[in-house]
Amino acid sequence: MKTFIFMVRHGESPKTEGNERTRELTKKGRSDAHIITELLKDEGIDTFISSPYRRSILTIEELAQSLGTEILVDEDFREMVFISDDKILSDKELYPLVKKMFSDPDFSLPGGESITNCQNRSVTALKKILKKYTGQKVVIGTHGAVMTLMMGYFDRQYDLEFLLKTSKPDIYRMEFNGQELVEVKRLWKC
């Protein structure tokens, strides 16, 4: 039986206030969330699950509300913890770190998690969803690295190079037959 997972990477978010968990969306991020609603409103989505991070919830919130569906929050879809205390890292700090982590999947900063640990937790959560929501269409509000690691578990072409080419937001529809990935299609074209 086919199950469709719509990976929705969060929209643009400022790195100037709060911490990783509380960051909101920029004006462009909010506008893009509306476009996501228009793109996915007729897809027949059954279930919405999100990272607990505010920017991920906000990116899919309008769509869920328009369909009269609540968003279930799953801690296992949170962003990779790069450093302790959910501290915000600038892109200048983050990109070299992510490259190092992809080249050494067991590397982590103090208080952070490794690629290996992040992939294990997020893929375990995804497999539970594939089992619990078999035959349904599920939106997962998530983050670039976590999305890439989940997709990369099923198909190795989704790697660091893929991550660096994704946008904020981004949408990928993954078609599964049981736990087997059959097809991936990018839906975000803006």
Side-chain angles (χ1 to χ4, degrees):
M1 184 176 288
K2 291 181 180 181
T3 303
F4 292 90
I5 302 294
F6 294 79
M7 292 283 181
V8 179
R9 183 182 188 189
H10 66 80
E12 185 179 274
S13 179
K15 290 191 171 191
T16 56
E17 56 197 51
N19 64 34
E20 282 296 327
R21 286 184 177 264
T22 60
R23 283 176 31 206
E24 301 274 332
L25 294 175
T26 63
K27 185 176 179 179
K28 180 185 182 309
R30 290 189 301 275
S31 175
D32 286 342
H34 179 71
I35 295 170
I36 289 170
T37 298
E38 293 303 310
L39 283 171
L40 299 181
K41 69 181 181 184
D42 297 324
E43 289 286 342
I45 307 296
D46 300 294
T47 304
F48 291 84
I49 302 170
S50 180
S51 155
Y53 287 32
R54 187 81 179 126
R55 59 192 181 273
S56 293
I57 294 169
L58 290 173
T59 300
I60 63 171
E61 188 174 59
E62 179 184 336
L63 175 60
Q65 288 175 348
S66 75
L67 298 174
T69 307
E70 68 177 298
I71 298 172
L72 306 173
V73 174
D74 189 326
E75 185 69 26
D76 288 330
F77 291 123
R78 71 188 178 276
E79 177 62 286
M80 179 184 300
V81 178
F82 294 105
I83 194 165
S84 62
D85 299 327
D86 290 315
K87 180 184 169 197
I88 295 174
L89 296 175
S90 70
D91 289 346
K92 185 178 178 181
E93 296 169 298
L94 185 61
Y95 288 118
L97 173 62
V98 169
K99 286 179 183 179
K100 179 170 178 48
M101 294 174 82
F102 269 85
S103 68
D104 180 1
D106 293 318
F107 171 80
S108 65
L109 291 175
E113 69 182 326
S114 69
I115 291 278
T116 301
N117 289 339
C118 182
Q119 185 175 50
N120 287 341
R121 79 162 150 85
S122 59
V123 169
T124 298
L126 178 56
K127 286 182 174 182
K128 287 178 186 175
I129 287 170
L130 289 170
K131 186 175 180 179
K132 182 174 182 176
Y133 298 102
T134 300
Q136 293 190 29
K137 294 181 178 181
V138 180
V139 164
I140 297 178
T142 191
H143 308 268
V146 176
M147 177 181 78
T148 299
L149 294 174
M150 285 188 281
M151 293 170 73
Y153 174 84
F154 294 97
D155 185 338
R156 290 182 185 255
Q157 73 173 309
Y158 301 106
D159 57 9
L160 176 61
E161 186 177 328
F162 165 80
L163 171 60
L164 296 175
K165 291 179 181 176
T166 61
S167 61
K168 293 180 188 176
D170 219 332
I171 307 170
Y172 292 86
R173 183 181 66 209
M174 301 174 72
E175 178 184 335
F176 287 88
N177 183 4
Q179 300 265 324
E180 179 186 350
L181 179 63
V182 176
E183 179 184 56
V184 175
K185 181 177 181 184
R186 186 178 191 213
L187 302 180
W188 184 256
K189 298 183 184 350
C190 297

